[in-house]
């Protein structure tokens, strides 16, 4: 058991030196020894060992148990031989840690007790302190000792997605309350988004101080926005988060679902690697991401998670196509276009890893 995390006990030199780790080499635009691969939601319901250790343990409780989150994070590394571990967590973890009335309801997702829709609601939002996420940082410290040469990716939800959960009260198909507040009360929107950017920054910096090797900013719902709205209402706040962790000099991955029209803006926010869902081929994504005077883009993705239910010849053909398309970027980290579906056969994931590593 490690000592509890605090700013004074988190030396900046604690991060491991992993100069040859394929994921980190690819993320920096270098030439890795093999195409690196990991999967969003690789630690989760597709694994029987995950279901076993989570039995009877609520999701948020698991996220704050250092030993349990370490075990869950390690499971896909042991089973699949992936090139990175992703910290087991949830988008709403920092909100819960800060003291908001929020819970993860099975079959529904995050549910907020009192939606945030007024200036008074925004003013009442608590700040997050590193002490409130000390168990998560302790789990990170345990993980970096166990992972050997495998990088650990830190994780946080982007301000827009956090705001959407708070405003809607839970998952939403249309984000109608969020969009209405954005346009009707832009000053209030920006105050809320700035507060949430601070929460996300504190959460990521706690993970970084404890030793994660890269971070992913996950904007689940950004694809619901037009490019104009994204640039006006979201880009400044995601950029603030990514800028606030730049001094750690680790790769910063930015991903959203349905964000094909937003790819250039996601990179402009400060991403070193842009995650691409399955709707846009990676060579086309790289073309959209190119910008004059900027380094060649690095992409992550983008096998459709649903296709893991198909026959192996179908999966193999798709994997080979995606790896080939990924060669059109400066670097490519193989992943899915979103998270692993619970019904996925773990053996298929292992075969995908083996195939990617052979190409």
């Amino acid at each position: 058991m490690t000592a509890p995390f605090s700013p004074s006990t988190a030396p900046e030199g604690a991060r491991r030196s992993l100069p040859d780790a394929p994921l980190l080499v690819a993320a920096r635009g270098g030439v890795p020894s093999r195409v690196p691969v990991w999967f969003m939601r690789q630690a989760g319901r597709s694994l029987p060992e995950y279901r076993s250790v989570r039995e009877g343990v609520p999701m948020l409780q698991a996220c704050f148990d250092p030993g349990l989150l370490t075990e869950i994070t390690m499971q896909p590394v042991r089973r699949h031989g992936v090139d990175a571990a992703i910290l087991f967590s949830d988008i709403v973890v920092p909100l819960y840690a800060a003291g908001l009335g929020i819970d993860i309801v099975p079959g529904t997702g995050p549910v907020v007790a009192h939606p945030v829709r007024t200036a008074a609601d925004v003013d009442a939002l608590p700040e997050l302190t590193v002490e409130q996420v000390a168990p998560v940082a302790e789990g990170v410290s345990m993980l970096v000792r166990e992972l050997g040469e495998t990088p650990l990716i830190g994780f946080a939800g982007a301000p827009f997605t956090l705001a959407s959960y708070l405003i809607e009260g839970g998952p939403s198909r249309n984000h109608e309350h969020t969009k209405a507040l954005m346009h009707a009360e832009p000053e209030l929107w920006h105050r809320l988004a700035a507060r949430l950017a601070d929460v996300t920054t504190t959460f990521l910096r706690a993970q970084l101080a404890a030793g994660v090797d890269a971070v992913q900013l996950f904007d689940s719902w950004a694809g619901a926005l037009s490019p104009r709205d994204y640039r006006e209402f979201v880009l400044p706040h995601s950029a603030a988060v990514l800028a606030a962790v730049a001094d750690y000099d680790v790769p910063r991955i930015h991903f959203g679902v349905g964000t094909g029209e937003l790819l250039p803006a996601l990179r402009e926010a400060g991403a070193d690697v842009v995650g691409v869902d399955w709707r846009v081929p990676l060579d086309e994504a790289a073309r959209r991401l190119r910008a004059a005077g900027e380094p060649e883009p690095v992409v992550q993705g983008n096998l459709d998670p649903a296709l893991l239910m198909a026959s192996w010849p179908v999966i193999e053909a798709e994997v080979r196509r995606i790896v080939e398309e990924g060669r059109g970027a400066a670097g490519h980290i193989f992943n899915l276009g979103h998270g692993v579906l619970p019904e996925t056969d773990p053996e298929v994931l292992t075969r995908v890893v083996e195939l990617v590593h052979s190409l």
Side-chain angles (χ1 to χ4, degrees):
M1 182 70 70
T2 60
F5 170 82
S6 72
S8 61
T9 61
E12 296 298 325
R15 187 165 297 97
R16 298 169 294 164
S17 175
L18 302 173
D20 299 321
L23 179 131
L24 300 179
V25 173
R28 298 184 187 279
V31 181
S33 59
R34 64 191 185 198
V35 177
V37 53
W38 69 280
F39 305 109
M40 287 180 280
R41 291 200 205 121
Q42 64 187 14
R45 290 172 291 170
S46 67
L47 298 181
E49 56 265 43
Y50 168 80
R51 295 192 294 271
S52 176
V53 299
R54 269 287 318 279
E55 187 173 1
V57 182
M59 175 67 179
L60 289 170
Q61 181 179 329
C63 292
F64 285 88
D65 181 324
L68 187 54
L69 74 86
T70 297
E71 167 59 23
I72 292 170
T73 301
M74 290 293 302
Q75 287 175 347
V77 178
R78 298 190 198 109
R79 179 185 272 263
H80 303 310
V82 286
D83 293 291
I86 177 75
L87 181 69
F88 177 71
S89 189
D90 188 87
I91 281 175
V92 300
V93 159
L95 299 178
Y96 177 82
L100 267 72
I102 192 166
D103 195 13
I104 299 175
V105 178
T108 300
V111 174
V112 179
H114 302 289
V116 175
R117 296 178 184 171
T118 67
D121 294 334
V122 172
D123 291 340
L125 287 174
E127 295 182 358
L128 179 70
T129 66
V130 290
E131 289 77 15
Q132 289 170 316
V133 290
V136 177
E138 186 175 342
V140 170
S141 297
M142 295 170 69
L143 278 162
V144 297
R145 290 201 304 273
E146 289 198 32
L147 279 166
E149 299 297 305
T150 303
L152 175 63
I153 302 172
F155 169 90
F160 172 76
T161 289
L162 294 180
S164 179
Y165 279 121
L166 290 181
I167 296 168
E168 303 294 338
S172 173
R173 179 171 297 180
N174 300 310
H175 309 279
E176 57 268 35
H177 296 293
T178 305
K179 292 181 178 181
L181 190 147
M182 273 181 168
H183 286 272
E185 299 185 71
E187 186 276 335
L188 180 60
W189 163 263
H190 285 295
R191 271 207 291 140
L192 170 60
R195 294 284 291 273
L196 294 173
D198 288 343
V199 168
T200 297
T201 295
T202 298
F203 190 42
L204 284 178
R205 289 184 69 89
Q207 296 173 49
L208 284 158
V212 298
D213 306 289
V215 293
Q216 175 157 296
L217 189 64
F218 198 108
D219 214 348
S220 307
W221 307 125
L225 300 173
S226 70
R228 180 189 299 113
D229 283 356
Y230 181 88
R231 287 183 179 280
E232 179 177 352
F233 296 112
V234 177
L235 177 57
H237 305 290
S238 293
V241 173
L242 292 169
V245 299
D247 56 324
Y248 282 90
D249 194 30
V250 304
R252 296 163 297 171
I253 308 167
H254 200 6
F255 174 77
V257 183
T259 51
E261 297 301 318
L262 306 179
L263 291 175
L266 292 178
R267 189 182 189 194
E268 288 171 34
D272 302 299
V273 181
V274 177
V276 184
D277 76 6
W278 65 92
R279 296 170 177 87
V280 180
L282 291 181
D283 50 358
E284 169 60 16
R287 186 191 68 78
R288 297 183 189 186
L289 288 164
R290 286 191 179 93
E294 294 293 330
E296 281 287 290
V298 178
V299 295
Q300 178 177 278
N302 68 340
L303 179 65
D304 186 339
L307 291 183
L308 292 172
M309 309 297 173
S311 64
W312 178 251
V314 170
I315 298 169
E316 180 179 2
E318 286 294 295
V319 170
R320 289 181 180 275
R321 174 186 63 80
I322 290 164
V323 169
E324 186 58 34
E325 290 171 352
R327 301 191 197 282
H332 174 213
I333 299 166
F334 191 96
N335 208 306
L336 304 181
H338 198 195
V340 175
L341 298 173
E343 302 82 9
T344 304
D345 181 352
E347 296 303 318
V348 171
L349 289 173
T350 302
R351 290 186 71 181
V352 168
V353 173
E354 292 170 349
L355 175 58
V356 172
H357 284 167
S358 74
L359 298 177

